Amino acid sequence: MSGFGEIAVSALICLGAFFLFVGSFGLAKLPDLMRRLHGPTKATTLGIGALLIASMLYFILEDEIVSLHELLITTFLFLTAPVTALMVAKAHILLDKEDQEKLPPTGREVGWSVLDAPQTHEAKKS
Amino acid sequence: MLKTLLPHPLLTLLIVLMWILLSGFSVGSAAFGLILGVAIPRLTSAYWPDRTRIGSPLTIVEYALIVLWDIVVANFQVAYLILFRRGDDLHSQFVTIPLDLRTPEAITALAGTITMTPGTVSASLSADGRALLVHCLETNDPEQTVAGIKSRYESRLQRIFET
Amino acid sequence: MIAISCTVAFIAISAAMLLCLYRVLVGPDMPTRILALDTLTINAIALVVLIGIYWNTGLYFEAALLFAMVGFLTTVAYCKYILRGNVME
């Protein structure tokens, strides 16, 4: 493998590991759940992304195999990370009475869907 | 005829592509991917009656590039905030974003984008689906944050999904 | 050089997993533990991919993919349980 490729792969591995560490560090350090949520959802996606790009580059340069499984994992994680964050945030809002009072008004006549019953499709039409 | 056979042509294409990526390219895997791509949209079309409309591919590519760039920038910003600021000093708060988008696909895309980009996490939707609850990690000017999200992402999504 | 950066990354990710484990054990509430478990899975995926690079084998991608899928499903199931009281309705 050429020197430049080796440096690029090493740099991407270190970058990915750094972001993964920062994400978990934020999870451990920050004081409440809504703030903790920011660390893992962002830092880990780029962390995993950089690691998977490094892995793809490594297999292309070292074995001359173009492996596309990494792309699949990256896409999957980028699609699922917002869903997990949303579900955790909703569970938190449902359980935490203090944060419920801090929520801003919706600007509509109904409340937030976690606390207020969602309108059904039929009710919206009428 | 074509509509009963392929209720969601884009979904069919996506499934075939995913299957080939997953099992390696060969004639056999492509054929089985095609079978899955025809069967799955037909079996699930009862739960998903409306066909999604998508604007021109160029706008989608532009949007994807902007979001990818923002994800990279967001990561460095959040890493800085996590490493060098005390957790209690961060000015975090909830803000409400009134939505102009109406289709569920567009709102899902917007909520996902907000979660992935600088210091914001989408936390809930109003019960009638017209406002989005967003938590900001560090903000001094909530109005500006809302305006930024609306002009940067929502207007582009409106062009993609609701032209 | 790649071996050295792999070692550094192994240490960083293991430390990250320990921090997640701390959050799983300490809590203080249920959603925090769920979030910590989810982050733990993501770190495990990273570790699996890194082992693939370190040993120069592509065998582990299916494992990483399975981790990603199972991790996502368990997180959603836990949250669903908190939100609605059961998982399947």
Side-chain angles (χ1 to χ4, degrees):
Chain A
M1 195 196 290
S2 67
F4 182 73
E6 204 168 315
I7 290 171
V9 172
S10 313
L12 279 170
I13 290 174
C14 288
L15 191 76
F18 169 74
F19 277 118
L20 280 163
F21 179 75
V22 167
S24 304
F25 183 65
L27 179 73
K29 178 191 173 190
L30 296 175
D32 61 278
L33 179 73
M34 283 315 293
R35 279 178 216 175
R36 276 177 204 143
L37 206 52
H38 288 274
T41 49
K42 289 186 195 65
T44 54
T45 41
L46 190 69
I48 291 270
L51 264 183
L52 288 168
I53 292 169
S55 153
M56 213 151 82
L57 206 63
Y58 178 75
F59 285 109
I60 288 173
L61 292 172
E62 185 80 9
D63 304 342
E64 288 172 358
I65 303 168
V66 182
S67 94
L68 294 168
H69 278 142
E70 285 95 335
L71 270 185
L72 215 58
I73 301 174
T74 322
T75 325
F76 188 77
L77 281 174
F78 270 64
L79 288 179
T80 54
V83 181
T84 351
L86 182 78
M87 295 294 275
V88 172
K90 280 173 97 166
H92 170 74
I93 291 171
L94 186 72
L95 292 183
D96 195 322
K97 295 284 180 291
E98 269 177 49
D99 261 16
Q100 280 176 20
E101 281 155 24
K102 273 191 238 161
L103 295 184
T106 56
R108 316 278 312 171
E109 56 267 39
V110 288
W112 297 110
S113 62
V114 187
L115 307 168
D116 210 352
Q119 286 182 333
T120 56
H121 204 62
E122 283 74 33
K124 215 188 266 179
K125 271 179 190 163
S126 60
Chain B
M1 174 60 201
L2 196 65
K3 206 173 170 187
T4 46
L5 196 66
L6 295 173
H8 304 289
L10 278 173
L11 184 64
T12 307
L13 195 70
L14 205 66
I15 290 173
V16 174
L17 215 67
M18 278 286 168
W19 188 261
I20 289 173
L21 277 180
L22 197 64
S23 56
F25 184 76
S26 66
V27 180
S29 75
F32 194 65
L34 203 62
I35 293 173
L36 284 180
V38 173
I40 291 175
R42 279 198 71 177
L43 290 174
T44 55
S45 65
Y47 307 104
W48 196 11
D50 307 326
R51 193 187 276 209
T52 316
R53 299 172 167 282
I54 299 275
S56 82
L58 256 179
T59 50
I60 299 175
V61 172
E62 185 206 4
Y63 184 73
L65 287 179
I66 287 175
V67 170
L68 273 179
W69 172 246
D70 281 357
I71 288 173
V72 175
V73 174
N75 272 285
F76 283 100
Q77 282 176 354
V78 170
Y80 171 78
L81 288 177
I82 287 175
L83 287 174
F84 298 112
R85 291 282 291 274
R86 280 192 51 230
D88 297 319
D89 294 345
L90 294 172
H91 303 283
S92 356
Q93 68 179 93
F94 287 105
V95 296
T96 306
I97 297 184
L99 291 174
D100 295 326
L101 298 171
R102 287 293 171 267
T103 52
E105 292 87 5
I107 295 174
T108 314
L110 181 68
T113 315
I114 287 173
T115 302
M116 302 299 285
T117 48
T120 47
V121 166
S122 49
S124 185
L125 201 63
S126 76
D128 60 353
R130 299 287 162 85
L132 196 64
L133 179 67
V134 171
H135 185 265
C136 300
L137 182 62
E138 164 79 25
T139 177
N140 292 317
D141 189 358
E143 267 98 52
Q144 206 195 341
T145 313
V146 172
I149 288 171
K150 280 187 87 76
S151 65
R152 197 168 170 83
Y153 306 122
E154 196 181 9
S155 58
R156 289 194 169 86
L157 280 174
Q158 209 154 24
R159 248 181 289 151
I160 292 174
F161 285 102
E162 296 175 359
T163 39
Chain C
M1 189 163 168
I2 288 176
I4 297 170
S5 59
C6 273
T7 315
V8 172
F10 277 133
I11 294 169
I13 294 172
S14 308
M17 285 178 97
L18 283 177
L19 288 170
C20 292
L21 194 64
Y22 162 77
R23 264 293 158 228
V24 173
L25 293 176
V26 172
D29 56 355
M30 208 58 199
T32 312
R33 290 200 171 93
I34 296 173
L35 182 65
L37 275 176
D38 186 60
T39 318
L40 206 57
T41 343
I42 288 178
N43 281 323
I45 298 167
L47 219 49
V48 169
V49 172
L50 208 57
I51 285 178
I53 299 177
Y54 193 69
W55 286 345
N56 192 8
T57 158
L59 277 176
Y60 291 98
F61 287 119
E62 275 77 8
L65 202 61
L66 280 177
F67 258 115
M69 287 179 178
V70 174
F72 171 65
L73 284 183
T74 44
T75 312
V76 170
Y78 273 133
C79 289
K80 194 93 187 160
Y81 180 71
I82 288 182
L83 286 168
R84 307 301 292 265
N86 58 11
V87 179
M88 307 287 271
E89 288 174 37

